Amino acid sequence: MLILIFVSIIFILSILLSKQIHKFNYYIYALAFVISMIATGEKANIISLGYVALSYFIVVMYTGVFDKGKTKKKLMTVRAENAILGTIFLIPHAYGFLEFYLDDGRFFTSLVPVIGLIALLIAIPLFITSFRFIRKRFTYKEWKTLHKLAYAFYITVYLHLVFIDNSRLLIYTIIFGLFFILKGFEKLKNHMKTQKKLKKKMIY
Ligand code: HEM
């Protein structure tokens, strides 16, 4: 339930304040970083438990399946910002659990931290190339190809949650399942559209 509240708040802020978030993004990153550092030291909290990071990534995921229109446009304006913020809020979570499992020498005794680490490693190039001054160094095609990794990230995060296997698994399965179904439909729609165009070309 907490995740759905966070996701709704991030969606609403992204739509209502897209211009401001985009304009003041580096200040927001700095603030998020400070909050993350504070959350790292503290006892378990909504950030170090991974909920805030996951909520940002869910908004980034669903931004991609929104139908064209004003809402999608606003969400696309801050998609990079939401992805960057999600990764910044991941620091206390990854650091906390890595420290816990490595200290104990139990890192490889559970797939949860291992898959978590794989997800984090996939997120790093996506994070770096989400900054505009880095993105500019890539052609659109290169950047788009690299960002196909995002699907590997989403699948790895879902697997991470599957292996945690707690009472929230059903809601995670609905969120990730619906996303991949909508993405599948979108791909199918685009494929049929291209087929139709090709057919028309062949006729004329
Ligand atoms: C080095 C990387 C990571 C490590 C070592 C790690 C470790 C863990 C561990 C051990 C738990 C289970 C805690 C428990 O038993 O309740 C957990 C929970 C969680 N992890 Fe990760 N994780 C990592 C990366 C990620 C990433 C990339 C995400 C994506 C956003 C993520 C999202 C979550 C969430 C949302 C939970 C809480 C699930 C719930 O209780 O409903 N983690 N993580």
Side-chain angles (χ1 to χ4, degrees):
M1 197 53 209
L2 205 57
I3 290 274
L4 294 179
I5 295 170
F6 285 137
V7 168
S8 317
I9 294 170
I10 298 165
F11 257 127
I12 292 165
L13 289 177
S14 301
I15 294 165
L16 294 181
L17 303 174
S18 54
K19 279 204 190 96
Q20 293 81 354
I21 295 169
H22 198 55
K23 191 171 172 196
F24 302 111
N25 50 8
Y26 283 92
Y27 297 102
I28 298 170
Y29 300 154
L31 181 65
F33 188 73
V34 171
I35 294 171
S36 275
M37 289 307 106
I38 296 167
T40 304
E42 295 298 308
K43 58 184 182 16
N45 54 65
I46 48 169
I47 298 174
S48 65
L49 286 171
Y51 300 133
V52 176
L54 181 65
S55 305
Y56 270 100
F57 292 126
I58 291 171
V59 173
V60 174
M61 266 162 73
Y62 275 85
T63 298
V65 287
F66 257 78
D67 268 344
K68 285 197 174 62
K70 248 188 175 172
T71 310
K72 170 133 184 170
K73 207 163 163 234
K74 288 187 174 179
L75 288 171
M76 288 303 282
T77 315
V78 290
R79 193 177 200 195
E81 282 81 359
N82 283 336
I84 289 168
L85 288 169
T87 317
I88 293 173
F89 285 124
L90 207 44
I91 300 169
H93 177 70
Y95 176 80
F97 279 115
L98 278 177
E99 196 196 27
F100 173 74
Y101 275 87
L102 291 172
D103 269 5
D104 255 17
R106 285 190 307 129
F107 185 75
F108 290 104
T109 58
S110 158
L111 278 172
V112 173
V114 174
I115 297 179
L117 181 60
I118 295 169
L120 179 74
L121 294 175
I122 298 171
I124 292 171
L126 296 171
F127 171 73
I128 295 169
T129 53
S130 292
F131 289 91
R132 207 167 320 134
F133 70 94
I134 306 266
R135 178 173 176 166
K136 279 185 189 156
R137 298 176 190 200
F138 292 76
T139 64
Y140 178 72
K141 201 160 173 263
E142 286 166 343
W143 190 87
K144 254 322 213 190
T145 312
L146 176 73
H147 276 252
K148 286 216 166 72
L149 266 181
Y151 297 109
F153 175 70
Y154 302 147
I155 291 168
T156 322
V157 170
Y158 177 62
L159 280 179
H160 178 58
L161 300 166
V162 166
F163 284 101
I164 293 167
D165 190 18
N166 60 23
S167 58
R168 287 172 287 281
L169 183 53
L170 179 63
I171 190 81
Y172 295 142
T173 304
I174 293 170
I175 292 171
F176 282 82
L178 183 64
F179 167 73
F180 282 105
I181 290 168
L182 290 171
K183 206 71 203 171
F185 274 128
E186 188 192 281
K187 293 244 178 270
L188 192 66
K189 220 169 64 186
N190 293 344
H191 175 71
M192 283 157 82
K193 238 190 238 164
T194 339
Q195 289 302 318
K196 222 175 175 179
K197 272 193 202 137
L198 281 175
K199 267 205 192 106
K200 260 200 191 138
K201 264 200 197 139
M202 275 149 78
I203 295 168
Y204 293 107

